[in-house]
Amino acid sequence: TGVQTCALPIYLARALRSNVVRVVAHVVAGEQPKQGYGFVVGEESGQLYIVTADHVVRGDGPGEADPKPTIIFFQDQGTETPGELLAVRLPRGQGDLALLRVQTPARFSWRRDALAQTPVDRGADVWFVGKLGEWYVPTRPGAVNEVLPSGTIRMDALPVSVGTSGAPLISPNGIDRKS
Protein backbone atom coordinates (compact mmCIF):
# COMPACT_ATOMS: atom_id res chain seq x y z
CA THR A 1 0.00 0.00 0.00
CA GLY A 2 1.17 3.54 -0.70
CA VAL A 3 1.39 6.44 1.68
CA GLN A 4 -1.79 7.97 0.24
CA THR A 5 -3.90 5.17 1.75
CA CYS A 6 -3.56 6.45 5.32
CA ALA A 7 -6.93 7.65 6.52
CA LEU A 8 -5.72 10.24 9.02
CA PRO A 9 -2.58 12.31 8.31
CA ILE A 10 -1.44 12.55 11.95
CA TYR A 11 -1.24 8.74 12.00
CA LEU A 12 0.97 8.93 8.91
CA ALA A 13 3.33 11.32 10.71
CA ARG A 14 3.46 8.96 13.69
CA ALA A 15 4.01 5.96 11.38
CA LEU A 16 6.95 7.72 9.71
CA ARG A 17 8.87 8.14 12.97
CA SER A 18 10.87 5.05 11.99
CA ASN A 19 12.27 7.08 9.06
CA VAL A 20 13.39 9.89 11.38
CA VAL A 21 16.70 9.87 13.24
CA ARG A 22 18.10 12.14 15.92
CA VAL A 23 21.44 13.76 15.02
CA VAL A 24 23.97 14.96 17.61
CA ALA A 25 26.99 16.79 16.19
CA HIS A 26 30.10 18.16 17.90
CA VAL A 27 30.79 20.94 15.40
CA VAL A 28 33.13 23.16 17.45
CA ALA A 29 35.46 21.65 20.07
CA GLY A 30 34.59 22.73 23.61
CA GLU A 31 31.09 23.90 22.73
CA GLN A 32 27.77 22.18 23.38
CA PRO A 33 26.84 19.72 20.62
CA LYS A 34 24.22 20.72 18.09
CA GLN A 35 21.12 18.56 18.03
CA GLY A 36 18.54 18.07 15.33
CA TYR A 37 16.90 15.44 13.20
CA GLY A 38 17.24 13.86 9.81
CA PHE A 39 15.34 11.32 7.79
CA VAL A 40 16.25 8.22 5.85
CA VAL A 41 16.09 8.73 2.08
CA GLY A 42 17.83 5.62 0.78
CA GLU A 43 19.67 2.39 1.48
CA GLU A 44 22.43 0.69 -0.45
CA SER A 45 24.97 -2.04 0.36
CA GLY A 46 24.10 -2.11 4.06
CA GLN A 47 24.30 1.69 4.41
CA LEU A 48 21.50 4.16 5.08
CA TYR A 49 21.53 7.66 3.61
CA ILE A 50 20.07 10.41 5.76
CA VAL A 51 19.23 14.02 4.90
CA THR A 52 19.51 16.67 7.61
CA ALA A 53 19.92 20.42 7.88
CA ASP A 54 23.50 21.42 7.07
CA HIS A 55 23.69 23.79 10.04
CA VAL A 56 23.12 20.82 12.39
CA VAL A 57 26.42 19.21 11.34
CA ARG A 58 28.49 22.19 10.14
CA GLY A 59 29.34 25.61 11.53
CA ASP A 60 30.16 28.86 9.78
CA GLY A 61 33.95 28.71 10.01
CA PRO A 62 36.49 26.59 8.15
CA GLY A 63 36.86 23.18 9.71
CA GLU A 64 33.67 23.59 11.76
CA ALA A 65 31.99 20.28 11.04
CA ASP A 66 31.46 16.95 12.73
CA PRO A 67 32.75 14.28 10.33
CA LYS A 68 31.18 11.53 12.50
CA PRO A 69 27.92 12.80 14.00
CA THR A 70 25.99 10.52 16.33
CA ILE A 71 22.81 8.98 14.93
CA ILE A 72 20.01 7.69 17.18
CA PHE A 73 17.18 5.64 15.68
CA PHE A 74 13.55 5.72 16.83
CA GLN A 75 13.44 1.92 17.08
CA ASP A 76 16.55 1.81 19.32
CA GLN A 77 16.68 5.07 21.24
CA GLY A 78 19.20 3.72 23.74
CA THR A 79 21.90 3.14 21.13
CA GLU A 80 24.18 5.78 19.61
CA THR A 81 25.52 4.91 16.16
CA PRO A 82 28.43 6.77 14.56
CA GLY A 83 27.50 8.32 11.25
CA GLU A 84 29.57 9.81 8.47
CA LEU A 85 29.15 13.33 7.12
CA LEU A 86 29.45 13.16 3.33
CA ALA A 87 30.82 15.99 1.20
CA VAL A 88 27.51 16.20 -0.70
CA ARG A 89 25.69 19.37 0.33
CA LEU A 90 23.94 22.37 -1.10
CA PRO A 91 26.11 25.49 -1.42
CA ARG A 92 25.40 28.20 1.15
CA GLY A 93 22.67 30.48 -0.12
CA GLN A 94 21.08 27.66 -2.15
CA GLY A 95 19.73 25.63 0.75
CA ASP A 96 20.52 24.07 4.09
CA LEU A 97 21.00 20.41 3.28
CA ALA A 98 23.60 17.82 4.28
CA LEU A 99 23.88 14.10 3.62
CA LEU A 100 24.91 11.51 6.21
CA ARG A 101 25.66 7.82 5.86
CA VAL A 102 25.40 5.18 8.58
CA GLN A 103 25.58 1.40 8.82
CA THR A 104 22.06 -0.08 8.65
CA PRO A 105 21.24 -1.41 12.14
CA ALA A 106 20.15 -5.03 12.53
CA ARG A 107 16.38 -5.51 12.19
CA PHE A 108 15.91 -1.90 11.05
CA SER A 109 12.93 -1.16 8.83
CA TRP A 110 11.73 2.06 7.27
CA ARG A 111 9.02 3.23 4.88
CA ARG A 112 10.46 3.46 1.38
CA ASP A 113 7.22 5.02 0.09
CA ALA A 114 7.44 8.00 2.45
CA LEU A 115 8.37 10.74 -0.04
CA ALA A 116 5.35 12.68 -1.28
CA GLN A 117 4.82 12.05 -4.99
CA THR A 118 3.40 15.53 -5.58
CA PRO A 119 4.71 18.88 -4.37
CA VAL A 120 3.04 20.45 -1.37
CA ASP A 121 0.73 23.43 -2.02
CA ARG A 122 -0.13 26.56 -0.08
CA GLY A 123 -2.65 25.80 2.67
CA ALA A 124 -1.76 22.09 2.96
CA ASP A 125 -1.77 20.65 6.47
CA VAL A 126 1.70 19.62 7.68
CA TRP A 127 3.21 18.01 10.76
CA PHE A 128 6.82 17.37 11.71
CA VAL A 129 8.56 14.64 13.68
CA GLY A 130 11.16 15.68 16.24
CA LYS A 131 11.39 18.24 19.03
CA LEU A 132 13.47 18.53 22.21
CA GLY A 133 15.25 15.21 21.68
CA GLU A 134 12.00 13.25 21.27
CA TRP A 135 10.13 11.88 18.26
CA TYR A 136 7.40 14.42 19.02
CA VAL A 137 4.48 14.83 16.59
CA PRO A 138 2.18 17.83 17.24
CA THR A 139 -1.50 17.03 17.75
CA ARG A 140 -2.60 19.80 15.40
CA PRO A 141 -1.16 20.51 11.98
CA GLY A 142 0.40 23.69 10.75
CA ALA A 143 -0.22 24.93 7.24
CA VAL A 144 2.07 25.61 4.30
CA ASN A 145 2.26 29.35 3.72
CA GLU A 146 4.54 29.26 0.67
CA VAL A 147 7.26 27.31 -1.07
CA LEU A 148 10.20 29.52 -2.02
CA PRO A 149 12.20 29.00 -5.24
CA SER A 150 15.10 27.75 -3.05
CA GLY A 151 12.89 24.89 -1.86
CA THR A 152 12.32 26.36 1.61
CA ILE A 153 8.81 25.61 2.81
CA ARG A 154 7.41 28.35 5.04
CA MET A 155 4.66 27.27 7.36
CA ASP A 156 2.28 28.75 9.89
CA ALA A 157 1.18 27.55 13.33
CA LEU A 158 3.70 24.75 13.99
CA PRO A 159 5.43 24.65 17.41
CA VAL A 160 8.97 24.37 16.01
CA SER A 161 11.85 25.17 18.39
CA VAL A 162 15.64 25.08 18.51
CA GLY A 163 16.63 21.43 18.08
CA THR A 164 13.91 20.66 15.52
CA SER A 165 16.19 21.45 12.56
CA GLY A 166 16.38 18.72 9.96
CA ALA A 167 13.01 17.22 10.92
CA PRO A 168 10.83 16.36 7.93
CA LEU A 169 7.56 18.09 7.13
CA ILE A 170 4.83 15.54 6.54
CA SER A 171 1.58 16.22 4.69
CA PRO A 172 -1.22 13.72 3.94
CA ASN A 173 0.87 12.68 0.90
CA GLY A 174 4.06 11.88 2.84
CA ILE A 175 7.37 13.68 3.47
CA ASP A 176 7.13 16.97 1.61
CA ARG A 177 9.47 18.26 -1.01
CA LYS A 178 9.78 21.12 -3.45
CA SER A 179 8.60 20.47 -7.01
Side-chain angles (χ1 to χ4, degrees):
T1 61
V3 169
Q4 290 81 359
T5 62
C6 279
L8 298 172
I10 192 167
Y11 293 116
L12 174 59
R14 293 181 60 81
L16 290 176
R17 289 182 297 180
S18 62
N19 286 47
V20 178
V21 300
R22 207 169 125 221
V23 179
V24 180
H26 294 83
V27 175
V28 178
E31 289 188 10
Q32 287 287 88
K34 292 184 176 187
Q35 296 192 38
Y37 292 85
F39 57 97
V40 177
V41 294
E43 183 174 14
E44 182 178 72
S45 302
Q47 304 278 313
L48 292 173
Y49 291 85
I50 297 165
V51 170
T52 190
D54 193 60
H55 72 268
V56 170
V57 292
R58 290 185 175 97
D60 293 326
E64 291 183 1
D66 187 345
K68 299 206 176 292
T70 300
I71 308 298
I72 302 161
F73 292 89
F74 175 71
Q75 293 99 324
D76 193 3
Q77 295 177 35
T79 301
E80 296 181 350
T81 305
E84 176 187 3
L85 175 60
L86 301 178
V88 177
R89 69 189 279 204
L90 290 176
R92 293 223 184 244
Q94 292 185 19
D96 185 26
L97 188 85
L99 186 63
L100 308 175
R101 181 170 52 201
V102 65
Q103 193 72 29
T104 303
R107 298 177 302 283
F108 176 76
S109 65
W110 60 286
R111 297 271 307 258
R112 286 166 172 78
D113 64 347
L115 185 64
Q117 297 302 305
T118 56
V120 67
D121 291 321
R122 178 176 166 80
D125 287 344
V126 289
W127 288 260
F128 64 89
V129 176
K131 181 178 179 179
L132 303 173
E134 302 291 330
W135 280 257
Y136 171 90
V137 176
T139 56
R140 299 188 191 282
V144 172
N145 183 301
E146 67 179 320
V147 180
L148 301 177
S150 67
T152 298
I153 300 172
R154 289 193 176 153
M155 66 225 160
D156 295 327
L158 272 180
V160 179
S161 63
V162 172
T164 302
S165 294
L169 278 181
I170 301 169
S171 73
N173 294 327
I175 294 175
D176 288 312
R177 62 184 177 85
K178 179 189 178 254
S179 60

